[in-house]
Amino acid sequence: MNARTTIYRARSILTMNPNRPRATHVAVRDGIVLGAGALGELAAWGEYTLDERFADKVLMPGFVEGHSHAMEGSSWRFPYVGFHDRMDPDGRVWPGARTLDQVVERLREAEARIDDPEQALIAWGFDPIYFRDRRCNRSDLDRVSSTRRIAVMHASYHIINTNSAGLAALDWLRTGIDHPGIPLGNDGLPTGELKGPEPMAAIQAATRMGRDFMIADDDALRRFGRLAIRTGVTTATDLANPLTDATVERMLETTAASEYPLRVVPLLRPMQMTPAQSVERALALRARSTERLDLGRIKLVADGSIQGFSARLRAPGYVNGAPNGLWYTAPEVLRETIEHALAGGVLVHIHTNGDEATELVLDTMEAALARHPAFDHRFTLQHCQLADAAQFRRMKALGMSVNLFANHVFYWGEEHIAQTVGLERAERMNACATAIETGVPFAIHSDAPVTPMAPLFTAWCAVNRRTSAGRLLGRAQRIPVDAALRAITIGAAATLKLDGRVGSIATGKCADFAVLDADPLEVDPGELKDIPVWGTVQQGRVFEAARA
């Protein structure tokens, strides 16, 4: 028996389809859009049920979060110690910890609730760059406990702080340590701040953070899905996952549930693989894709975090004189992986925060494309925060896309001016207007859980470029509202090569909608972030935020 057509009426529908940008009704059958327009036009599809529940709402294509991590769900099992207030997947807002003493006190409260003396204390969201007088060190966390191992993940997810017990568990509470990711204090001992993949992996293993915190199990994926409903997201990446067989099986099972509200797009983070093996693995994963778990792409990480001083910057470097950052992937491994991926037809997204990292990738891509020409490869630079206009022109010439971290202007703009890159470079950070001017396809993102997943807030950041102190930072890089809306819908979908299925409301595409209480093109641009999200429609299934 054929499924019956449902036609939804809305106050307005922003389709992101240039051939029909506005509509009042959209017809859906079997999770697919039949068409958008006036009711009389859509009646040609045959018998239908008219659904009026969105009659006072505004529909848009379901938002596409092109850079997020499913550990946004698992993070909420542990204490949040970030500087800014933060909403959890259940809608509760947790207040920020505004001083180092407040962080310590919150950790003390959490430590008092742990009965097992062998269990580590894990927390997340920490960002000591806001405490400008000094960095956090092991003695600060020793105030919480000198015997229980503690691991506190930074908001950037590129640094972990630990205490003396954590260092001792690794046999690192001694002199003679010589590693660029393990800073030393004046006493010759590690400070407790651990940067980069190797030191972080070690403390994650010692505290079981890797298993309990980083893995997207069923509970984490479901929390991730609930948060997506609250923010209008119907497609979201898990942009760095080792994707073991067990993980893939678990993700397939969870996303297949009839009530699961989200299309998850995990990208393989190669771990202990050769470049050739990582491409082979991505191709094997692609064959296992379903409608709600889309596999077969690779994520590489070139450098670290700007506010963590682990990003690679070109001269003149960090404004406060900090040493240059770290290479997370060896340049030779980067080159080999890109060449194998181009030859194998595998899409690669590459994290580059600093402009030196971006320059390395552009040089590598130019040489690799000369050896392995590829049409429509869409290799995408993720974050790419300090790229200048010359680098954008190179991206265009190389057929690359970019996904810019617009939220950074709000969360770290003031700190970038004062501590990391100075005013001139901070004004050009996350250069959305330059992307438009040079014709580079672009998206914008949250990098959740680094910052909250909330595409309308991300769009607000790109449009208004206001710091948390209210400063306009980079007037020339502001973009119009319609461009920002494209960047969180069809633009993000295009970076994933999903724009044929999602990102706009058009005949034959997935019936994925964000349901809003106001029209983003009619409100004041300064109020864009404040538009309430009623919920989502994903593959024709309705999910209300109030019931998530």
Side-chain angles (χ1 to χ4, degrees), residues 63-87:
F63 298 140
V64 179
E65 179 48 87
H67 190 143
S68 58
H69 302 273
M71 61 186 172
E72 167 75 35
S74 57
S75 297
W76 287 103
R77 298 170 182 153
F78 305 101
Y80 169 69
V81 293
F83 185 82
H84 294 276
D85 297 353
R86 187 77 174 254
M87 182 183 73

Side-chain angles (χ1 to χ4, degrees), residues 403-411 427 429-436 442-445 454-467 472-488 525-526 528-529:
N403 192 350
L404 299 166
F405 200 170
N407 288 14
H408 243 264
V409 174
F410 176 81
Y411 282 100
E427 287 181 326
M429 290 182 80
N430 299 291
C432 295
T434 300
I436 294 172
F442 80 103
I444 51 180
H445 66 266
L456 287 173
F457 175 81
T458 301
W460 175 87
C461 289
V463 168
N464 295 280
R465 291 189 66 96
R466 294 285 176 180
T467 71
L472 172 57
L473 182 58
R475 181 183 300 274
Q477 292 300 336
R478 293 183 301 177
I479 61 174
V481 172
D482 60 346
L485 296 179
R486 284 187 57 82
I488 60 174
L528 192 59
K529 62 181 175 58

Side-chain angles (χ1 to χ4, degrees), residues 81 97 99-108 126 131 152:
V81 293
T99 66
L100 187 54
D101 285 340
Q102 288 181 10
V103 171
V104 169
E105 183 57 32
R106 189 165 298 179
L107 291 172
R108 282 174 172 163
F126 186 47
F131 314 138
V152 182

Side-chain angles (χ1 to χ4, degrees), residues 138 167 172-178 182-191:
R138 68 180 188 278
L167 291 170
W172 289 353
L173 192 60
R174 57 180 174 83
T175 59
I177 302 291
D178 183 14
I182 307 176
L184 304 179
N186 294 332
D187 57 2
L189 299 175
T191 64

Side-chain angles (χ1 to χ4, degrees), residues 146-339:
S146 60
T147 57
R148 187 186 303 280
R149 289 161 294 161
I150 298 174
V152 182
M153 180 69 77
H154 282 221
S156 69
Y157 283 74
H158 287 276
I159 302 174
I160 296 174
N161 270 85
T162 191
N163 62 342
S164 295
L167 291 170
L170 298 170
D171 191 29
W172 289 353
L173 192 60
R174 57 180 174 83
T175 59
I177 302 291
D178 183 14
H179 190 288
I182 307 176
L184 304 179
N186 294 332
D187 57 2
L189 299 175
T191 64
E193 193 170 82
L194 305 176
K195 303 180 178 183
E198 293 176 6
M200 290 177 65
I203 194 62
Q204 286 169 359
T207 58
R208 300 176 72 180
M209 176 186 275
R211 191 195 73 172
D212 298 333
F213 186 83
M214 309 293 284
I215 300 300
D217 58 16
D218 177 76
D219 176 66
L221 286 169
R222 291 184 181 279
R223 290 172 187 257
F224 192 50
R226 293 202 301 274
L227 188 62
I229 295 170
R230 294 183 182 281
T231 56
V233 173
T234 55
T235 298
T237 53
D238 183 16
L239 209 73
N241 192 319
L243 292 176
T244 64
D245 287 339
T247 297
V248 173
E249 290 296 335
R250 183 169 56 246
M251 297 182 88
L252 285 167
E253 181 179 356
T254 301
T255 57
S258 60
E259 72 279 7
Y260 194 73
L262 182 64
R263 179 180 299 98
V264 181
V265 185
L267 273 68
L268 172 67
R269 173 81 184 273
M271 305 291 285
Q272 299 179 331
M273 297 179 187
T274 67
Q277 289 170 338
S278 65
V279 172
E280 290 172 6
R281 177 65 174 166
L283 290 169
L285 289 170
R286 181 188 295 174
R288 304 193 66 187
S289 291
T290 66
E291 181 54 46
R292 291 202 288 277
L293 189 71
D294 202 298
L295 299 155
R297 303 163 185 82
I298 288 175
K299 163 76 176 294
L300 298 176
V301 180
D303 67 340
S305 155
I306 298 174
Q307 72 273 25
F309 302 98
S310 56
R312 295 289 303 193
L313 272 56
R314 295 185 295 187
Y318 288 100
V319 75
N320 70 349
N324 209 351
L326 306 173
W327 291 117
Y328 278 33
T329 300
E332 182 64 17
V333 173
L334 187 78
R335 180 188 66 78
E336 290 184 19
T337 305
I338 287 174
E339 289 192 356

Side-chain angles (χ1 to χ4, degrees), residues 4-8 26 28 39 46-52:
R4 189 176 179 87
T5 299
T6 298
I7 297 180
Y8 295 101
V26 58
V28 175
L39 180 60
E47 293 186 9
Y48 62 87
T49 298
L50 181 63
D51 193 319
E52 302 261 7

